[in-house]
């Protein structure tokens, strides 16, 4: 009898595991179908993405078949029989235009510089779609648009850079844009030259060094939620370019 009970329990465990796997596969297919229907593009499953413990949802990383470097987050929340989907693909669609718009303002405030938009590691509200404009995106606080700005010329006192950032903030506010980011002052010419789209987000691990960095975030009224220096550097000692 004990042997029969053990065999029955083992069989039940196998069936439960198989059922769980089939459920996950079905959810995955629903998520990929949702992406295809929403954007008219084919997406492929890459891997599962860590969700929040205790929450009844699933997230995956999917790649655009035509642009495999675009690793998109897709979320499925179980709500009855329907479910609710969300993703962060608009960030990839708008990245170039976002960098151009913010780059134009940054150039007028900080001189020649590199500007990069950071793809977020979260999904946007479901209504964010492929028809959303860069202007609408920057005006919506839920976008939490984050930029990294690297001026070519880095000399100057902290107060001078703060004044430049104040002007930059006002120009964004005049457009109704709400952004956050980092103004990074490269230590040497080689540090500025090495920064590219491919490595800026992980620059701290790529050998990049900054003499000082000024981080900021704008609030819904167009002012600063915060603005502070990090790294303890002195931009006055930055190198000429």
């Amino acid at each position: 009898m004990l042997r029969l009970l053990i065999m029955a329990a083992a069989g039940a465990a196998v069936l439960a595991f198989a059922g769980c796997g089939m459920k996950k596969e079905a959810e995955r297919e629903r998520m990929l179908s949702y992406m295809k229907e929403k954007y008219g593009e084919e997406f492929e499953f890459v891997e599962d993405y860590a969700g929040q413990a205790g929450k009844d949802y699933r997230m995956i990383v999917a790649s655009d078949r035509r642009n495999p470097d675009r690793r998109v987050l897709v979320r499925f929340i179980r709500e009855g029989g329907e479910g609710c989907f969300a993703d962060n693909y608009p960030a990839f669609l708008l990245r170039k235009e976002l960098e151009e718009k913010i780059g134009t303002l940054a150039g007028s405030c900080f001189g020649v510089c590199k500007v990069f938009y950071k793809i977020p590691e979260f999904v946007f509200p479901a209504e964010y779609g492929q028809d959303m404009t860069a202007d609408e995106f920057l005006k919506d606080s839920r976008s939490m648009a984050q930029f990294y700005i690297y001026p070519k010329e880095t000399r100057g006192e902290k107060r001078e850079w703060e004044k430049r950032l104040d002007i930059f903030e006002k120009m964004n506010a005049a457009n109704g844009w709400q952004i956050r980011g980092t103004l990074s002052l490269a230590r040497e010419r080689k540090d500025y030259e090495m920064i590219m789209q491919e490595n800026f987000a992980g620059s701290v691990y790529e050998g990049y060094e900054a003499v000082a960095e000024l981080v900021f975030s704008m609030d819904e009224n167009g002012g600063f939620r915060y603005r502070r220096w990090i790294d303890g550097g002195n931009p006055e000692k930055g190198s000429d370019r």
Side-chain angles (χ1 to χ4, degrees), residues 102-122:
I102 298 302
T104 297
L105 300 190
S108 64
C109 297
F110 311 118
V112 176
C113 56
K114 298 178 181 180
V115 176
F116 302 115
Y117 166 65
K118 188 177 188 300
I119 299 295
E121 296 182 3
F122 58 81

Side-chain angles (χ1 to χ4, degrees), residues 141-199:
S141 61
R142 297 174 298 176
S143 301
M144 297 179 67
Q146 183 175 6
F147 296 86
Y148 284 72
I149 304 169
Y150 300 88
K152 189 174 184 180
E153 302 288 345
T154 61
R155 283 192 178 277
E157 297 181 355
K158 283 187 175 181
R159 183 54 187 159
E160 178 184 344
W161 286 105
E162 291 170 358
K163 289 180 179 179
R164 293 186 186 185
L165 187 63
D166 288 341
I167 296 173
F168 180 69
E169 171 259 321
K170 289 180 173 57
M171 294 176 72
N172 276 278
N175 286 309
W177 299 343
Q178 185 176 331
I179 70 171
R180 58 191 178 127
T182 300
L183 178 65
S184 183
L185 307 178
R187 182 174 296 278
E188 297 180 7
R189 181 182 182 86
K190 66 177 181 62
D191 295 303
Y192 174 80
E193 295 296 341
M194 71 169 290
I195 288 296
M196 299 178 291
Q197 180 68 251
E198 294 75 20
N199 67 3

Side-chain angles (χ1 to χ4, degrees), residues 40-95:
E41 299 284 351
E42 293 281 353
F43 290 82
E44 295 182 340
F45 172 77
V46 176
E47 61 185 359
D48 286 306
Y49 190 82
Q52 185 175 347
K55 298 295 184 180
D56 192 23
Y57 70 83
R58 184 183 177 197
M59 289 185 70
I60 65 170
V61 178
S63 63
D64 181 346
R65 284 186 181 177
R66 295 202 301 174
N67 300 279
D69 290 338
R70 294 178 175 179
R71 296 170 65 89
V72 185
L73 289 179
V74 188
R75 185 185 68 189
F76 170 66
I77 299 179
R78 304 171 188 88
E79 293 182 352
E82 294 298 322
C84 181
F85 300 91
D87 62 271
N88 70 344
Y89 195 53
F92 292 92
L93 298 177
L94 295 172
R95 178 165 59 183

